[in-house]
Amino acid sequence: MSKRIKDELKKEAEKLKNSGIVPGLAVIIVGDDPASRVYVNNKKKACAEVGIYSEEYALAEDTSEDELLALIDRLNCRKEISGILVQLPLPKQINEENVIGRIDPKKDVDAFHPVNVGKIMVGNYDFVPCTPAGIMELIKESGIDISGKECVIVGRSNIVGKPMSMLLLHSNGTVTICHSKTRNLAEKTKRADIIVAAVGKPNFITGDMIKEEAVVIDVGINRMADKKLVGDVEFETAEKVASAITPVPGGVGPMTIAMLMKNTLKAAVINNKEDK
């Protein structure tokens, strides 16, 4: 699915270039977190595949907040940069909220800026955070109708849980958000037609917490002591009861990257209109 979307986006990027619009993505990484480095490399690779111009800014771990904000200001002003992405998490001396708020909302391809978050809330948005957007594509492309379904999200982060709840709601799902303080979690998940697990705990959702024939989307990616990657869902037991389930790795991840490419192309069109 991710490959098909990227192939379509490649054609779209070609059309934009022919009309004089060159989509460009700036990716900023602060420090040398190994997981962040893998994500950044994947994003650069996808840009090359789709035909998006990309720049990487690898800053030292001890970079100050002011230095990072100054870089964002410069990128906000550059016409050839359609989208700006700051890889999270950031080192402790930098306030994430200040950084996200500094990115021009029209270049905020992660859709974390308060303006874009508000637009998602009311259902009138340009950009959707890449992981929830990828999950929606996965569900719809698999022919699963969300309307009227019981949807349970485990995790309430600004990156996945909260925007995911809004997107499912806009598609007429009945949404429950669960988190670390939820009581009787298994009771809630057992009712769900669609479960989105984004809690960051390995094998947290087990097969006996899932209703027969439920659709299970596993956003988690956790590295175990033996270096093996596992999701938030215990795949072996969940697979036996679910009607559809995403693997880890290889399920939601590639869709997230494809949606980032889609957002960057959209940003190129929006910013080109603004320039005229």
Side-chain angles (χ1 to χ4, degrees), residues 154-275:
V154 187
R156 54 176 162 180
S157 72
N158 292 334
I159 293 173
V160 182
K162 289 178 192 170
M164 193 70 241
S165 68
M166 284 299 115
L167 295 182
L168 289 166
L169 203 53
H170 294 322
S171 291
N172 301 317
T174 300
V175 182
T176 303
I177 304 178
C178 300
H179 44 78
S180 57
K181 300 284 188 289
T182 299
R183 291 179 187 164
N184 306 325
L185 178 66
E187 262 177 41
K188 315 278 192 293
T189 56
K190 203 93 172 130
R191 284 204 318 260
D193 302 303
I194 298 169
I195 296 178
V196 180
V199 73
K201 292 182 178 173
N203 300 319
F204 185 69
I205 306 284
T206 50
D208 57 2
M209 295 167 74
I210 298 165
K211 180 167 96 172
E212 198 74 39
E213 295 293 286
V215 172
V216 180
I217 311 281
D218 190 351
V219 182
I221 187 148
N222 311 284
R223 194 174 290 281
M224 306 304 275
D226 62 1
K227 297 281 188 281
K228 193 180 168 209
L229 286 176
V230 301
D232 291 352
V233 177
E234 192 179 66
F235 191 86
E236 290 70 23
T237 57
E239 190 187 19
K240 293 183 174 74
V241 283
S243 63
I245 184 168
T246 60
V248 175
V252 173
M255 295 300 287
T256 297
I257 302 270
M259 292 300 112
L260 172 64
M261 300 300 107
K262 194 173 187 172
N263 280 353
T264 304
L265 292 187
K266 199 167 191 184
V269 172
I270 291 167
N271 288 301
N272 187 64
K273 280 181 191 155
E274 294 287 326
D275 290 341

Side-chain angles (χ1 to χ4, degrees), residues 76-217:
N76 278 336
C77 296
R78 283 180 52 202
K79 276 188 179 161
E80 65 272 35
I81 298 298
S82 328
I84 301 167
L85 182 149
V86 178
Q87 185 66 45
L88 303 178
L90 290 165
K92 58 185 179 302
Q93 75 274 14
I94 300 174
N95 181 312
E96 275 183 16
E97 217 174 285
N98 294 345
V99 170
I100 290 165
R102 196 68 157 247
I103 298 169
D104 180 340
K106 293 185 294 294
K107 293 191 175 189
D108 169 38
V109 286
D110 259 336
F112 295 162
H113 191 286
V115 165
N116 290 325
V117 172
K119 285 182 164 189
I120 292 161
M121 192 79 180
V122 295
N124 174 26
Y125 44 81
D126 294 313
F127 307 118
V128 178
C130 303
T131 299
I135 292 168
M136 292 303 283
E137 289 276 340
L138 265 173
I139 293 171
K140 287 175 178 173
E141 289 275 328
S142 304
I144 295 155
D145 184 19
I146 296 166
S147 187
K149 296 276 174 69
E150 287 274 352
C151 307
V152 171
I153 300 163
V154 187
R156 54 176 162 180
S157 72
N158 292 334
I159 293 173
V160 182
K162 289 178 192 170
M164 193 70 241
S165 68
M166 284 299 115
L167 295 182
L168 289 166
L169 203 53
H170 294 322
S171 291
N172 301 317
T174 300
V175 182
T176 303
I177 304 178
C178 300
H179 44 78
S180 57
K181 300 284 188 289
T182 299
R183 291 179 187 164
N184 306 325
L185 178 66
E187 262 177 41
K188 315 278 192 293
T189 56
K190 203 93 172 130
R191 284 204 318 260
D193 302 303
I194 298 169
I195 296 178
V196 180
V199 73
K201 292 182 178 173
N203 300 319
F204 185 69
I205 306 284
T206 50
D208 57 2
M209 295 167 74
I210 298 165
K211 180 167 96 172
E212 198 74 39
E213 295 293 286
V215 172
V216 180
I217 311 281

